Amino acid sequence: MRDLTARLPTSPGFWRSPLRGPRFTSVLGLVLLVGITVLFVTGLLSYAAYNPGLSPLNDKTPDKGLLGFYLFAWPTSPHWLYRLTQGVHVTLGITLVPVLLAKLWSVVPKLFTLPPVRSLAHGLERLSLLLLVGGALFEFATGVLNVQLDYVFPGSFYPLHFYGAWVFFAAFLTHAALKTPAAVRNVRHMRQQRERPAAEEELVSPRPDPATVSRRGALWFVGGGSLLLFGTTAGQSLGGPLRRTALLAPHGGADPGSGPNGFQINKTAAYAGVDARETDDGVWRLVVVGRTGTVRLSRHDLLQLPLHSAALPIACVEGWSTSDQWWRGVRLRDLARLVGHDGDPPDLLVESLQRHGAFRRAALRANQVADPDSLLALQVNGEDLSPDHGYPARVIVPAAPGVLNTKWVARMTFGDLR
């Protein structure tokens, strides 16, 4: 009976690795404490960048309630802001995967300890651990799948990842409050020969197998895995030649080819259901609606208006971004002036020829419309837009998520959307 009991995961003797211990777990835990906090903050910033409080069109989590307490009007300066915050969010998330897996491996014996609850404090710790493990696996799995453009999870990514993040971070804070003091003590005493007595002693196997690598070596192995993932991911946000090093990250959608329009795209015209007959110069008209009525402009008409240039990147929620491209077109605030908004321009609703997709209609705040670099772009890098980059016209706004830079624009309505 004793031998049978020792073969069960609930027995301390079942877990034989000599690497498990409070110091090994504490180092990983402190790395995750910092890393996951940064992930959570940059994730909230990513959500704020969509300006969900502006219009239901931009809000993919309408039942968030108090969870939207922090939302603010997303700025347009610096123009690389979203490229930075989302690049950090995605790159750091992938980089932390080995640390997370090593941390979960190091504490797996605690999931099987008996009795399951010894006290109220222990019960809270166990509950937080359950939510923490489940939430971490859910958030990292959905995040990595979204980055790889594999939408195999049920439902929309936005609410799944948003609500999952709050559940996970609540458990994370509870667990951190309970365990961080002990983790700091363990790290401070890493050079001592003897483990300090603590609740984490249950991680140490009573009958460890012979060691094949030191705990320090194991930490270096985990760090090396994270460094490898960083090196094969970060290039998607840095752009330029480094994009070729981003082997594990998406480079955008289909191959954009070469030339002035040869930079990354997410959705092609064919994917969006945009027919070339609709964008023909003899057929397409931009409908602009505002205070004084409606104006219809051909592409030729737009080219006769004052044109301006701006060097701006495109940055997507999946973490990839382009380097700065030179866009040329009509300022959004000048289009607002055509329909009676002579002072500060109002909010803007943009509608696309795109047949399907969550952001075929999108809203921009007044501060985004007013920015002098916010354009209805007609050209890029000295050439007309290609069909896949939004010909005959697309929106480009500093620091805005890629999906708000609407392509194949058909209609623009200026007015207060709140």
Side-chain angles (χ1 to χ4, degrees):
M1 177 64 71
R2 182 175 300 176
D3 290 340
L4 178 60
T5 303
R7 296 175 185 174
L8 297 176
T10 53
S11 170
F14 179 85
W15 308 99
R16 304 291 298 277
S17 175
L19 296 179
R20 287 192 179 92
R23 292 186 297 195
F24 182 75
T25 297
S26 296
V27 171
L28 298 173
L30 290 176
V31 171
L32 289 175
L33 176 64
V34 175
I36 287 177
T37 300
V38 174
L39 281 182
F40 186 68
V41 171
T42 53
L44 293 184
L45 290 176
S46 177
Y47 180 64
Y50 283 77
N51 284 323
L54 172 62
S55 168
L57 294 173
N58 290 14
D59 191 1
K60 303 307 173 186
T61 55
D63 299 321
K64 60 185 176 297
L66 294 177
L67 298 182
F69 71 92
Y70 72 96
L71 294 175
F72 56 96
W74 188 250
T76 57
S77 180
H79 71 273
W80 40 259
L81 179 61
Y82 187 74
R83 183 184 184 189
L84 172 66
T85 59
Q86 193 61 12
V88 168
H89 183 74
V90 171
T91 302
L92 180 60
I94 293 177
T95 300
L96 287 178
V97 167
V99 183
L100 174 69
L101 295 178
K103 167 71 172 178
L104 295 179
W105 173 85
S106 73
V107 299
V108 70
K110 299 187 70 173
L111 299 177
F112 296 92
T113 55
L114 295 176
V117 177
R118 295 193 294 264
S119 65
L120 178 60
H122 184 249
L124 290 175
E125 179 189 342
R126 297 281 287 181
L127 179 61
S128 71
L129 187 61
L130 178 64
L131 294 175
L132 186 68
V133 172
L137 293 175
F138 179 82
E139 285 298 288
F140 276 80
T142 55
V144 169
L145 287 171
N146 183 69
V147 167
Q148 298 300 329
L149 310 178
D150 292 328
Y151 305 110
V152 297
F153 35 79
S156 171
F157 167 76
Y158 298 98
L160 287 174
H161 206 65
F162 178 79
Y163 294 125
W166 279 105
V167 172
F168 166 67
F169 200 69
F172 178 75
L173 287 179
T174 302
H175 189 75
L178 293 169
K179 308 304 290 184
T180 297
V184 172
R185 288 195 302 269
N186 287 327
V187 171
R188 284 178 177 174
H189 293 81
M190 284 184 68
R191 295 186 179 181
Q192 291 187 0
Q193 296 296 320
R194 184 172 175 271
E195 300 279 359
R196 288 175 60 86
E200 285 84 354
E201 279 302 328
E202 62 196 46
L203 296 176
V204 180
S205 175
R207 296 186 298 118
D209 288 330
T212 56
V213 64
S214 67
R215 287 173 179 165
R216 181 170 295 180
L219 288 173
W220 277 109
F221 179 76
V222 173
S226 289
L227 185 62
L228 177 63
L229 289 180
F230 175 82
T232 52
T233 303
Q236 69 166 349
S237 299
L238 299 176
L242 289 177
R243 289 187 62 82
R244 299 176 183 175
T245 68
L247 303 177
L248 299 181
H251 292 221
D255 183 0
S258 59
N261 278 272
F263 56 94
Q264 295 70 35
I265 55 177
N266 211 0
K267 296 176 182 177
T268 65
Y271 175 87
V274 177
D275 193 317
R277 290 171 294 185
E278 298 176 283
T279 60
D280 183 86
D281 289 349
V283 175
W284 179 83
R285 294 293 182 271
L286 173 68
V287 179
V288 185
V289 181
R291 179 183 296 153
T292 57
T294 300
V295 174
R296 289 176 172 81
L297 301 168
S298 67
R299 198 167 189 279
H300 176 77
D301 295 331
L302 290 169
L303 288 169
Q304 303 311 304
L305 297 174
L307 301 181
H308 299 271
S309 297
L312 301 172
I314 296 175
C316 282
V317 69
E318 293 89 0
W320 68 265
S321 60
T322 71
S323 54
D324 287 357
Q325 310 295 322
W326 275 100
W327 306 90
R328 187 162 178 79
V330 183
R331 285 174 170 161
L332 297 184
R333 65 188 190 186
D334 289 346
L335 291 171
R337 192 174 293 115
L338 288 179
V339 287
H341 300 282
D342 295 324
D344 292 334
D347 305 328
L348 170 62
L349 171 64
V350 184
E351 300 177 68
S352 172
L353 293 173
Q354 183 177 335
R355 291 289 184 270
H356 50 79
F359 287 95
R360 62 185 181 274
R361 302 168 70 222
L364 297 173
R365 282 190 181 275
N367 68 301
Q368 294 174 310
V369 177
D371 192 285
D373 285 340
S374 294
L375 306 175
L376 179 70
L378 305 171
Q379 301 170 336
V380 63
N381 298 324
E383 187 175 277
D384 287 347
L385 296 170
S386 69
D388 289 340
H389 277 299
Y391 184 89
R394 69 169 297 163
V395 167
I396 186 74
V397 174
V403 291
L404 297 185
N405 293 317
T406 308
K407 297 193 285 189
W408 313 291
V409 176
R411 185 182 183 91
M412 307 178 77
T413 304
F414 293 91
D416 188 0
L417 298 176
R418 285 161 288 185

